[in-house]
Each structure stands twice: as structure tokens, then as C-alpha cells.
Amino acid sequence: MIPPESDPFDDLIAAAERSAVHLELRDTYAVDPESKDYAAWLAGDTSSRTRDSDRERRKPWLDLVRDTVARGVEMRRARVVSLPPTDYIRFEHSGAPLNIEAGEQVRWLDRADAVDLLLPGADLWLFDRKVVRFGLFSGDGALLGYEIIDDSAVASRVATAFEAVWERAVPHDRFRI
């Protein structure tokens, strides 16, 4: 397992030529960089100060999305979520417009509508349908690390699973939580 501090994501996204797709399967995450914004959001603070803080905190990501899409790489994110949603999913849903503004496509799928799909056991990024970066989390959502797999059979299965979710998922602007 690759520890979180050695995440190869930057190299993988830089090497992507056509596509980078992200499948998220968890209903909660405990990710330190967003903890302050999440706490403010939970407390009901949706002021412009908080939105500006969120935009500023996410600026490196949003810039990366813009740059990646500008060089012709399609970026798509599909989230399989339980309804009614957890607070964390509601928080993510409220922040998704920034991802979309930057050029990332975002769709949502109610977990109940995915019961007959064969899905991977972990969140993942798939780059150019060749390399998979699995994100490994503890039960409470803490990031443990990553596994990188460049096996074509695994990449093919992951691509099939992602596309099945994508086909059923609802675009962000139409998904109600």
C-alpha cells in the first residue's frame, strides 16, 4: 500500500491523455483539508465568506481540473450515495458546482439504483482506461493509502463498472438530495 503522503495522483493525472474518471462509493470521508469548511457548513454557515474559503481551499484542485480539461482530458466523477444522504454527501453536493465550473462532469446515483451493478470494493480513479488508483479508507472515512494497478483486465473491469454507474447516474443539476 502506498501511504497517503506518497500519493502518485499528480503524476498519473499529468500523464493522462484522454480520460480521468473518479468513482466514489462512500457516504462519509474524514479528509483533513476540508474539515474546517465542513464544520462551518454543518453549523449552517453558508455565507459568502465560507463559499470564498471553500473556493480558496479548493483552488489547487479547481486549477488542476481546468488545466487538465484544457489539454483535452475528459474528467468525470460519479458518486454512488445512500438516500437519504449523510451530512457529508449533502456537503459534497453543495460544493459540486465548483467542480463543474472548472470543467469536471459530475453525476450522482442513488445506491438503491445500483444494487444490480458489480462495483469495485473501493473508490478509484481510472486514467486512460489503463491505470487504476484505488483509494483505501478506514471504516470512519480516514484515508489509509492507495493501491496502483496497471493490469489491463482490472482496468477493463473498472471501466465497465464506471460506465454502468455513469449511464444510470443523474447529472448534478438534476439530482435532488
Side-chain angles (χ1 to χ4, degrees), residues 21-48:
V21 301
H22 190 189
L23 182 60
E24 292 182 281
L25 302 168
R26 298 182 53 83
D27 284 324
T28 189
Y29 296 85
V31 184
D32 285 338
E34 66 190 14
S35 60
K36 288 180 184 176
D37 290 331
Y38 180 51
W41 183 89
L42 280 174
D45 184 355
T46 57
S47 66
S48 61

PDB file of all heavy atoms in Angstrom, residues 21-48:
ATOM      1  N   VAL A  21     -11.364   9.301 -14.795  1.00  0.00           N
ATOM      2  CA  VAL A  21     -12.688   9.145 -14.195  1.00  0.00           C
ATOM      3  C   VAL A  21     -12.549   8.728 -12.743  1.00  0.00           C
ATOM      4  O   VAL A  21     -11.629   7.992 -12.368  1.00  0.00           O
ATOM      5  CB  VAL A  21     -13.575   8.155 -14.985  1.00  0.00           C
ATOM      6  CG1 VAL A  21     -13.763   8.629 -16.418  1.00  0.00           C
ATOM      7  CG2 VAL A  21     -13.037   6.741 -14.951  1.00  0.00           C
ATOM      8  N   HIS A  22     -13.470   9.236 -11.937  1.00  0.00           N
ATOM      9  CA  HIS A  22     -13.409   9.032 -10.492  1.00  0.00           C
ATOM     10  C   HIS A  22     -14.719   8.414 -10.045  1.00  0.00           C
ATOM     11  O   HIS A  22     -15.791   8.976 -10.295  1.00  0.00           O
ATOM     12  CB  HIS A  22     -13.199  10.384  -9.816  1.00  0.00           C
ATOM     13  CG  HIS A  22     -12.886  10.317  -8.362  1.00  0.00           C
ATOM     14  ND1 HIS A  22     -12.845  11.437  -7.579  1.00  0.00           N
ATOM     15  CD2 HIS A  22     -12.592   9.294  -7.530  1.00  0.00           C
ATOM     16  CE1 HIS A  22     -12.544  11.108  -6.338  1.00  0.00           C
ATOM     17  NE2 HIS A  22     -12.392   9.807  -6.298  1.00  0.00           N
ATOM     18  N   LEU A  23     -14.640   7.282  -9.370  1.00  0.00           N
ATOM     19  CA  LEU A  23     -15.813   6.618  -8.808  1.00  0.00           C
ATOM     20  C   LEU A  23     -15.728   6.691  -7.297  1.00  0.00           C
ATOM     21  O   LEU A  23     -14.748   6.235  -6.703  1.00  0.00           O
ATOM     22  CB  LEU A  23     -15.877   5.156  -9.269  1.00  0.00           C
ATOM     23  CG  LEU A  23     -17.081   4.345  -8.786  1.00  0.00           C
ATOM     24  CD1 LEU A  23     -18.389   4.961  -9.264  1.00  0.00           C
ATOM     25  CD2 LEU A  23     -16.959   2.901  -9.262  1.00  0.00           C
ATOM     26  N   GLU A  24     -16.732   7.314  -6.690  1.00  0.00           N
ATOM     27  CA  GLU A  24     -16.786   7.441  -5.231  1.00  0.00           C
ATOM     28  C   GLU A  24     -17.944   6.605  -4.710  1.00  0.00           C
ATOM     29  O   GLU A  24     -19.067   6.714  -5.216  1.00  0.00           O
ATOM     30  CB  GLU A  24     -16.965   8.902  -4.828  1.00  0.00           C
ATOM     31  CG  GLU A  24     -15.748   9.741  -5.155  1.00  0.00           C
ATOM     32  CD  GLU A  24     -15.912  11.175  -4.712  1.00  0.00           C
ATOM     33  OE1 GLU A  24     -16.594  11.923  -5.443  1.00  0.00           O
ATOM     34  OE2 GLU A  24     -15.370  11.530  -3.653  1.00  0.00           O
ATOM     35  N   LEU A  25     -17.663   5.805  -3.701  1.00  0.00           N
ATOM     36  CA  LEU A  25     -18.644   4.843  -3.213  1.00  0.00           C
ATOM     37  C   LEU A  25     -18.993   5.005  -1.738  1.00  0.00           C
ATOM     38  O   LEU A  25     -19.888   4.324  -1.252  1.00  0.00           O
ATOM     39  CB  LEU A  25     -18.114   3.416  -3.452  1.00  0.00           C
ATOM     40  CG  LEU A  25     -17.796   3.086  -4.911  1.00  0.00           C
ATOM     41  CD1 LEU A  25     -17.004   1.792  -5.007  1.00  0.00           C
ATOM     42  CD2 LEU A  25     -19.075   3.012  -5.725  1.00  0.00           C
ATOM     43  N   ARG A  26     -18.327   5.872  -1.037  1.00  0.00           N
ATOM     44  CA  ARG A  26     -18.531   6.013   0.404  1.00  0.00           C
ATOM     45  C   ARG A  26     -19.555   7.112   0.706  1.00  0.00           C
ATOM     46  O   ARG A  26     -19.707   8.056  -0.054  1.00  0.00           O
ATOM     47  CB  ARG A  26     -17.221   6.354   1.101  1.00  0.00           C
ATOM     48  CG  ARG A  26     -16.144   5.271   0.946  1.00  0.00           C
ATOM     49  CD  ARG A  26     -14.893   5.637   1.704  1.00  0.00           C
ATOM     50  NE  ARG A  26     -15.195   5.944   3.083  1.00  0.00           N
ATOM     51  CZ  ARG A  26     -15.345   5.044   4.069  1.00  0.00           C
ATOM     52  NH1 ARG A  26     -15.179   3.771   3.813  1.00  0.00           N
ATOM     53  NH2 ARG A  26     -15.620   5.424   5.298  1.00  0.00           N
ATOM     54  N   ASP A  27     -20.192   6.990   1.856  1.00  0.00           N
ATOM     55  CA  ASP A  27     -21.138   8.015   2.295  1.00  0.00           C
ATOM     56  C   ASP A  27     -20.517   9.025   3.247  1.00  0.00           C
ATOM     57  O   ASP A  27     -21.155  10.008   3.607  1.00  0.00           O
ATOM     58  CB  ASP A  27     -22.350   7.365   2.977  1.00  0.00           C
ATOM     59  CG  ASP A  27     -23.301   6.738   1.964  1.00  0.00           C
ATOM     60  OD1 ASP A  27     -23.465   7.311   0.872  1.00  0.00           O
ATOM     61  OD2 ASP A  27     -23.877   5.683   2.271  1.00  0.00           O
ATOM     62  N   THR A  28     -19.305   8.781   3.656  1.00  0.00           N
ATOM     63  CA  THR A  28     -18.616   9.737   4.520  1.00  0.00           C
ATOM     64  C   THR A  28     -17.109   9.598   4.335  1.00  0.00           C
ATOM     65  O   THR A  28     -16.607   8.511   4.044  1.00  0.00           O
ATOM     66  CB  THR A  28     -19.001   9.551   6.003  1.00  0.00           C
ATOM     67  OG1 THR A  28     -18.477  10.630   6.760  1.00  0.00           O
ATOM     68  CG2 THR A  28     -18.507   8.240   6.567  1.00  0.00           C
ATOM     69  N   TYR A  29     -16.449  10.727   4.462  1.00  0.00           N
ATOM     70  CA  TYR A  29     -14.990  10.780   4.383  1.00  0.00           C
ATOM     71  C   TYR A  29     -14.517  11.661   5.528  1.00  0.00           C
ATOM     72  O   TYR A  29     -15.219  12.588   5.939  1.00  0.00           O
ATOM     73  CB  TYR A  29     -14.522  11.398   3.054  1.00  0.00           C
ATOM     74  CG  TYR A  29     -14.905  10.581   1.843  1.00  0.00           C
ATOM     75  CD1 TYR A  29     -16.153  10.726   1.243  1.00  0.00           C
ATOM     76  CD2 TYR A  29     -14.026   9.667   1.286  1.00  0.00           C
ATOM     77  CE1 TYR A  29     -16.515   9.983   0.128  1.00  0.00           C
ATOM     78  CE2 TYR A  29     -14.372   8.918   0.168  1.00  0.00           C
ATOM     79  CZ  TYR A  29     -15.620   9.080  -0.401  1.00  0.00           C
ATOM     80  OH  TYR A  29     -15.965   8.340  -1.499  1.00  0.00           O
ATOM     81  N   ALA A  30     -13.345  11.392   6.024  1.00  0.00           N
ATOM     82  CA  ALA A  30     -12.740  12.216   7.074  1.00  0.00           C
ATOM     83  C   ALA A  30     -11.409  12.723   6.531  1.00  0.00           C
ATOM     84  O   ALA A  30     -10.357  12.175   6.826  1.00  0.00           O
ATOM     85  CB  ALA A  30     -12.539  11.405   8.348  1.00  0.00           C
ATOM     86  N   VAL A  31     -11.485  13.757   5.702  1.00  0.00           N
ATOM     87  CA  VAL A  31     -10.323  14.273   4.999  1.00  0.00           C
ATOM     88  C   VAL A  31      -9.951  15.620   5.610  1.00  0.00           C
ATOM     89  O   VAL A  31     -10.723  16.577   5.553  1.00  0.00           O
ATOM     90  CB  VAL A  31     -10.616  14.409   3.495  1.00  0.00           C
ATOM     91  CG1 VAL A  31      -9.372  14.842   2.751  1.00  0.00           C
ATOM     92  CG2 VAL A  31     -11.130  13.084   2.936  1.00  0.00           C
ATOM     93  N   ASP A  32      -8.776  15.699   6.220  1.00  0.00           N
ATOM     94  CA  ASP A  32      -8.344  16.891   6.951  1.00  0.00           C
ATOM     95  C   ASP A  32      -8.440  18.210   6.197  1.00  0.00           C
ATOM     96  O   ASP A  32      -8.907  19.191   6.770  1.00  0.00           O
ATOM     97  CB  ASP A  32      -6.918  16.710   7.488  1.00  0.00           C
ATOM     98  CG  ASP A  32      -6.879  15.781   8.688  1.00  0.00           C
ATOM     99  OD1 ASP A  32      -7.919  15.613   9.348  1.00  0.00           O
ATOM    100  OD2 ASP A  32      -5.809  15.230   8.955  1.00  0.00           O
ATOM    101  N   PRO A  33      -8.015  18.301   4.940  1.00  0.00           N
ATOM    102  CA  PRO A  33      -8.010  19.626   4.300  1.00  0.00           C
ATOM    103  C   PRO A  33      -9.376  20.311   4.254  1.00  0.00           C
ATOM    104  O   PRO A  33      -9.460  21.519   4.194  1.00  0.00           O
ATOM    105  CB  PRO A  33      -7.509  19.343   2.887  1.00  0.00           C
ATOM    106  CG  PRO A  33      -6.724  18.089   3.016  1.00  0.00           C
ATOM    107  CD  PRO A  33      -7.416  17.293   4.084  1.00  0.00           C
ATOM    108  N   GLU A  34     -10.464  19.545   4.286  1.00  0.00           N
ATOM    109  CA  GLU A  34     -11.777  20.174   4.195  1.00  0.00           C
ATOM    110  C   GLU A  34     -12.503  20.222   5.529  1.00  0.00           C
ATOM    111  O   GLU A  34     -13.639  20.686   5.595  1.00  0.00           O
ATOM    112  CB  GLU A  34     -12.636  19.452   3.163  1.00  0.00           C
ATOM    113  CG  GLU A  34     -12.990  18.040   3.551  1.00  0.00           C
ATOM    114  CD  GLU A  34     -13.632  17.254   2.423  1.00  0.00           C
ATOM    115  OE1 GLU A  34     -13.582  17.692   1.256  1.00  0.00           O
ATOM    116  OE2 GLU A  34     -14.177  16.195   2.724  1.00  0.00           O
ATOM    117  N   SER A  35     -11.875  19.804   6.607  1.00  0.00           N
ATOM    118  CA  SER A  35     -12.576  19.680   7.881  1.00  0.00           C
ATOM    119  C   SER A  35     -13.133  21.008   8.399  1.00  0.00           C
ATOM    120  O   SER A  35     -14.241  21.041   8.941  1.00  0.00           O
ATOM    121  CB  SER A  35     -11.686  19.018   8.935  1.00  0.00           C
ATOM    122  OG  SER A  35     -10.526  19.784   9.151  1.00  0.00           O
ATOM    123  N   LYS A  36     -12.419  22.110   8.222  1.00  0.00           N
ATOM    124  CA  LYS A  36     -12.913  23.409   8.703  1.00  0.00           C
ATOM    125  C   LYS A  36     -14.137  23.856   7.904  1.00  0.00           C
ATOM    126  O   LYS A  36     -15.116  24.341   8.478  1.00  0.00           O
ATOM    127  CB  LYS A  36     -11.816  24.474   8.637  1.00  0.00           C
ATOM    128  CG  LYS A  36     -10.748  24.296   9.685  1.00  0.00           C
ATOM    129  CD  LYS A  36      -9.693  25.387   9.580  1.00  0.00           C
ATOM    130  CE  LYS A  36      -8.576  25.128  10.571  1.00  0.00           C
ATOM    131  NZ  LYS A  36      -7.491  26.100  10.425  1.00  0.00           N
ATOM    132  N   ASP A  37     -14.069  23.718   6.585  1.00  0.00           N
ATOM    133  CA  ASP A  37     -15.208  24.108   5.761  1.00  0.00           C
ATOM    134  C   ASP A  37     -16.414  23.207   6.047  1.00  0.00           C
ATOM    135  O   ASP A  37     -17.551  23.685   6.088  1.00  0.00           O
ATOM    136  CB  ASP A  37     -14.858  24.056   4.274  1.00  0.00           C
ATOM    137  CG  ASP A  37     -13.889  25.152   3.882  1.00  0.00           C
ATOM    138  OD1 ASP A  37     -13.893  26.218   4.526  1.00  0.00           O
ATOM    139  OD2 ASP A  37     -13.127  24.938   2.923  1.00  0.00           O
ATOM    140  N   TYR A  38     -16.168  21.938   6.241  1.00  0.00           N
ATOM    141  CA  TYR A  38     -17.259  21.005   6.552  1.00  0.00           C
ATOM    142  C   TYR A  38     -17.892  21.369   7.891  1.00  0.00           C
ATOM    143  O   TYR A  38     -19.124  21.411   8.012  1.00  0.00           O
ATOM    144  CB  TYR A  38     -16.732  19.570   6.540  1.00  0.00           C
ATOM    145  CG  TYR A  38     -17.775  18.525   6.861  1.00  0.00           C
ATOM    146  CD1 TYR A  38     -18.998  18.496   6.204  1.00  0.00           C
ATOM    147  CD2 TYR A  38     -17.522  17.541   7.810  1.00  0.00           C
ATOM    148  CE1 TYR A  38     -19.943  17.523   6.488  1.00  0.00           C
ATOM    149  CE2 TYR A  38     -18.465  16.568   8.100  1.00  0.00           C
ATOM    150  CZ  TYR A  38     -19.674  16.559   7.432  1.00  0.00           C
ATOM    151  OH  TYR A  38     -20.607  15.595   7.717  1.00  0.00           O
ATOM    152  N   ALA A  39     -17.075  21.668   8.894  1.00  0.00           N
ATOM    153  CA  ALA A  39     -17.604  22.052  10.208  1.00  0.00           C
ATOM    154  C   ALA A  39     -18.432  23.330  10.109  1.00  0.00           C
ATOM    155  O   ALA A  39     -19.516  23.427  10.708  1.00  0.00           O
ATOM    156  CB  ALA A  39     -16.467  22.223  11.213  1.00  0.00           C
ATOM    157  N   ALA A  40     -17.956  24.298   9.344  1.00  0.00           N
ATOM    158  CA  ALA A  40     -18.713  25.548   9.162  1.00  0.00           C
ATOM    159  C   ALA A  40     -20.025  25.264   8.444  1.00  0.00           C
ATOM    160  O   ALA A  40     -21.076  25.795   8.817  1.00  0.00           O
ATOM    161  CB  ALA A  40     -17.879  26.565   8.386  1.00  0.00           C
ATOM    162  N   TRP A  41     -19.979  24.424   7.435  1.00  0.00           N
ATOM    163  CA  TRP A  41     -21.187  24.068   6.690  1.00  0.00           C
ATOM    164  C   TRP A  41     -22.187  23.368   7.606  1.00  0.00           C
ATOM    165  O   TRP A  41     -23.378  23.684   7.587  1.00  0.00           O
ATOM    166  CB  TRP A  41     -20.800  23.195   5.494  1.00  0.00           C
ATOM    167  CG  TRP A  41     -21.957  22.828   4.624  1.00  0.00           C
ATOM    168  CD1 TRP A  41     -22.437  23.534   3.567  1.00  0.00           C
ATOM    169  CD2 TRP A  41     -22.772  21.666   4.743  1.00  0.00           C
ATOM    170  NE1 TRP A  41     -23.514  22.874   3.015  1.00  0.00           N
ATOM    171  CE2 TRP A  41     -23.736  21.735   3.720  1.00  0.00           C
ATOM    172  CE3 TRP A  41     -22.784  20.572   5.618  1.00  0.00           C
ATOM    173  CZ2 TRP A  41     -24.707  20.745   3.550  1.00  0.00           C
ATOM    174  CZ3 TRP A  41     -23.749  19.598   5.445  1.00  0.00           C
ATOM    175  CH2 TRP A  41     -24.699  19.688   4.423  1.00  0.00           C
ATOM    176  N   LEU A  42     -21.696  22.426   8.438  1.00  0.00           N
ATOM    177  CA  LEU A  42     -22.574  21.732   9.384  1.00  0.00           C
ATOM    178  C   LEU A  42     -23.240  22.698  10.355  1.00  0.00           C
ATOM    179  O   LEU A  42     -24.389  22.503  10.754  1.00  0.00           O
ATOM    180  CB  LEU A  42     -21.791  20.684  10.189  1.00  0.00           C
ATOM    181  CG  LEU A  42     -21.518  19.366   9.507  1.00  0.00           C
ATOM    182  CD1 LEU A  42     -20.605  18.505  10.388  1.00  0.00           C
ATOM    183  CD2 LEU A  42     -22.803  18.626   9.189  1.00  0.00           C
ATOM    184  N   ALA A  43     -22.501  23.743  10.719  1.00  0.00           N
ATOM    185  CA  ALA A  43     -23.027  24.732  11.657  1.00  0.00           C
ATOM    186  C   ALA A  43     -24.016  25.686  10.976  1.00  0.00           C
ATOM    187  O   ALA A  43     -24.566  26.574  11.634  1.00  0.00           O
ATOM    188  CB  ALA A  43     -21.880  25.521  12.277  1.00  0.00           C
ATOM    189  N   GLY A  44     -24.219  25.500   9.674  1.00  0.00           N
ATOM    190  CA  GLY A  44     -25.182  26.320   8.959  1.00  0.00           C
ATOM    191  C   GLY A  44     -24.611  27.564   8.332  1.00  0.00           C
ATOM    192  O   GLY A  44     -25.348  28.419   7.842  1.00  0.00           O
ATOM    193  N   ASP A  45     -23.288  27.681   8.323  1.00  0.00           N
ATOM    194  CA  ASP A  45     -22.655  28.854   7.745  1.00  0.00           C
ATOM    195  C   ASP A  45     -22.519  28.664   6.237  1.00  0.00           C
ATOM    196  O   ASP A  45     -21.653  27.938   5.769  1.00  0.00           O
ATOM    197  CB  ASP A  45     -21.283  29.084   8.378  1.00  0.00           C
ATOM    198  CG  ASP A  45     -20.611  30.357   7.893  1.00  0.00           C
ATOM    199  OD1 ASP A  45     -21.156  31.025   6.988  1.00  0.00           O
ATOM    200  OD2 ASP A  45     -19.535  30.683   8.421  1.00  0.00           O
ATOM    201  N   THR A  46     -23.389  29.297   5.486  1.00  0.00           N
ATOM    202  CA  THR A  46     -23.309  29.245   4.025  1.00  0.00           C
ATOM    203  C   THR A  46     -23.037  30.643   3.478  1.00  0.00           C
ATOM    204  O   THR A  46     -23.352  30.955   2.338  1.00  0.00           O
ATOM    205  CB  THR A  46     -24.616  28.696   3.418  1.00  0.00           C
ATOM    206  OG1 THR A  46     -25.703  29.517   3.859  1.00  0.00           O
ATOM    207  CG2 THR A  46     -24.850  27.261   3.829  1.00  0.00           C
ATOM    208  N   SER A  47     -22.428  31.456   4.305  1.00  0.00           N
ATOM    209  CA  SER A  47     -22.131  32.843   3.915  1.00  0.00           C
ATOM    210  C   SER A  47     -21.129  32.891   2.777  1.00  0.00           C
ATOM    211  O   SER A  47     -20.443  31.916   2.474  1.00  0.00           O
ATOM    212  CB  SER A  47     -21.569  33.606   5.113  1.00  0.00           C
ATOM    213  OG  SER A  47     -20.310  33.074   5.468  1.00  0.00           O
ATOM    214  N   SER A  48     -21.037  34.060   2.165  1.00  0.00           N
ATOM    215  CA  SER A  48     -20.069  34.215   1.077  1.00  0.00           C
ATOM    216  C   SER A  48     -18.649  34.005   1.594  1.00  0.00           C
ATOM    217  O   SER A  48     -17.791  33.505   0.882  1.00  0.00           O
ATOM    218  CB  SER A  48     -20.209  35.587   0.426  1.00  0.00           C
ATOM    219  OG  SER A  48     -19.962  36.608   1.368  1.00  0.00           O
TER     220      SER A  48
END
